[in-house]
């Protein structure tokens, strides 16, 4: 019978393990989880319809900022800029929850970027994002879940020197009154969310030029004379008007 020296066995194990690096647990998990890309563009929505039209220009040099938490619980913050085609891209991202914000001040092609507004969001709804803008009015795409490649997370902007939410390209009547407002959720699971599908009609002592009738969630109209005007409101389907917002059911009158 052979005698085995315990010290020799331990030494042999030590020699075998020496120089062997155990793989990082996170890298092993990454091998079983595909990575994804996020992309989109920034364009000048000169007519403020919330859609990318063929004659509208793209914006180069806008900074896109990605923030979030990946599925491993690690914080993620990345920045990039839109290229000559107005596009940005974040590549090889692990699944997780992210948001994207845009900084217009870095775009040298923009004259006075601080006077720009972000356009009406999500006029195509949540089912088709090919041509609409996805940011809120502050320039942020709210938190979303990334599980596969996401394209067309876009941002539309327009120049608005007097801050009335009318693009300078359309604002040739600066002396006119231009009331505006939003259909939005005032309670429930998503307070503050903009609601599409509503509509307004306006009656009053002067002609009314309707710029946006509320169907995309935003309404605005122009009148050339002061006086009392009545807004007749048709809420989005399945939504009731908040009585605290409307003086009477479905109407609002104001001088």
């Amino acid at each position: 019978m052979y005698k085995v020296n315990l010290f020799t066995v331990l030494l042999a194990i030590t020699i075998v393990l020496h120089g062997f690096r155990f793989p990082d647990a996170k890298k092993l998990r990454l091998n079983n989880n595909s990575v994804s890309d996020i992309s989109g563009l920034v364009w000048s929505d000169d007519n403020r319809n919330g859609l990318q039209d063929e004659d509208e220009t793209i914006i180069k040099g806008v900074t896109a900022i990605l923030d979030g938490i990946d599925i491993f619980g690690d914080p993620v913050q990345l920045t990039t800029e839109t290229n000559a085609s107005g596009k940005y891209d974040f590549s090889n991202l692990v699944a997780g929850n992210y948001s994207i914000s845009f900084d217009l001040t870095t775009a040298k092609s923009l004259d006075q970027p601080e006077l720009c507004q972000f356009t009406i969001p999500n006029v195509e709804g949540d089912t088709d994002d090919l041509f609409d803008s996805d940011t809120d009015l502050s320039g942020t795409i709210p938190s979303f879940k990334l599980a596969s490649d996401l394209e067309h997370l876009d941002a539309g902007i327009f120049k608005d020197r007097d801050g009335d939410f009318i693009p300078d390209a359309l604002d040739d009547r600066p002396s006119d009154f231009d009331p505006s407002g939003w259909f939005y959720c005032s309670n429930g699971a998503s307070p503050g969310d903009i609601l599409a599908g509503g509509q307004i009609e306006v009656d009053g002592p002067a002609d009314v030029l309707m710029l946006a009738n509320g169907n995309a969630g935003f309404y605005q109209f122009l009148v050339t004379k002061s006086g009392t005007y009545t807004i007749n409101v048709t809420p989005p389907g399945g939504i009731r008007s908040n009585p605290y917002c409307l003086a009477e059911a479905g109407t609002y009158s104001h001088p």
Side-chain angles (χ1 to χ4, degrees):
M1 179 180 292
Y2 295 99
K3 293 183 179 181
V4 179
N5 189 304
L6 181 60
F7 174 78
T8 303
V9 173
L10 292 176
L11 179 62
I13 294 175
T14 302
I15 292 173
V16 171
L17 293 180
H18 180 70
F20 177 78
R21 178 177 294 177
F22 287 98
D24 182 83
K26 182 175 179 179
K27 291 181 178 179
L28 285 177
R29 286 182 289 172
L30 273 176
N31 289 334
N32 296 319
N33 291 274
S34 61
V35 293
S36 304
D37 298 343
I38 296 174
S39 61
L41 63 80
V42 180
W43 90 98
S44 181
D45 188 25
D46 297 328
N47 59 5
R48 202 205 55 190
N49 67 349
L51 296 170
Q52 301 163 33
D53 299 312
E54 291 184 0
D55 59 342
E56 292 177 333
T57 59
I58 52 82
I59 308 297
K60 175 185 176 182
V62 175
T63 298
I65 305 163
L66 178 81
D67 279 292
I69 303 292
D70 67 23
I71 57 174
F72 304 123
D74 295 329
V76 177
Q77 185 175 72
L78 301 170
T79 61
T80 188
E81 287 190 357
T82 55
N83 61 20
S85 299
K87 296 182 179 180
Y88 72 91
D89 181 82
F90 294 105
S91 301
N92 299 320
L93 297 171
V94 181
N97 290 293
Y98 300 99
S99 65
I100 300 174
S101 57
F102 296 91
D103 180 3
L104 304 179
T105 63
T106 60
K108 295 180 180 179
S109 60
L110 283 178
D111 177 37
Q112 296 179 296
E114 69 276 7
L115 299 180
C116 289
Q117 302 256 26
F118 287 89
T119 194
I120 301 172
N122 293 315
V123 298
E124 292 181 302
D126 295 327
T127 58
D128 188 358
D129 279 330
L130 290 178
F131 301 108
D132 69 0
S133 182
D134 301 290
T135 72
D136 59 22
L137 297 183
S138 71
T140 297
I141 300 176
S143 180
F144 57 89
K145 180 177 291 186
L146 177 67
S148 59
D149 290 350
L150 290 177
E151 299 177 317
H152 306 294
L153 295 184
D154 305 327
I157 65 172
F158 58 85
K159 180 67 70 63
D160 180 18
R161 294 178 185 274
D162 56 5
D164 61 359
F165 208 68
I166 300 176
D168 288 351
L170 302 177
D171 198 359
D172 58 350
R173 303 169 67 176
S175 63
D176 291 350
F177 303 98
D178 49 3
S180 61
W182 298 87
F183 285 95
Y184 70 95
C185 181
S186 62
N187 57 15
S190 303
D193 280 3
I194 297 170
L195 302 175
Q199 184 173 330
I200 68 163
E201 295 178 354
V202 182
D203 298 313
D207 291 338
V208 175
L209 174 61
M210 189 69 68
L211 297 177
N213 69 357
N215 188 257
F218 174 76
Y219 69 83
Q220 186 171 43
F221 57 93
L222 299 179
V223 295
T224 56
K225 180 181 179 181
S226 61
T228 298
Y229 290 81
T230 299
I231 303 174
N232 299 297
V233 179
T234 302
I239 303 295
R240 296 177 59 187
S241 298
N242 188 328
Y244 294 102
C245 297
L246 300 175
E248 300 175 14
T251 65
Y252 179 70
S253 297
H254 193 72

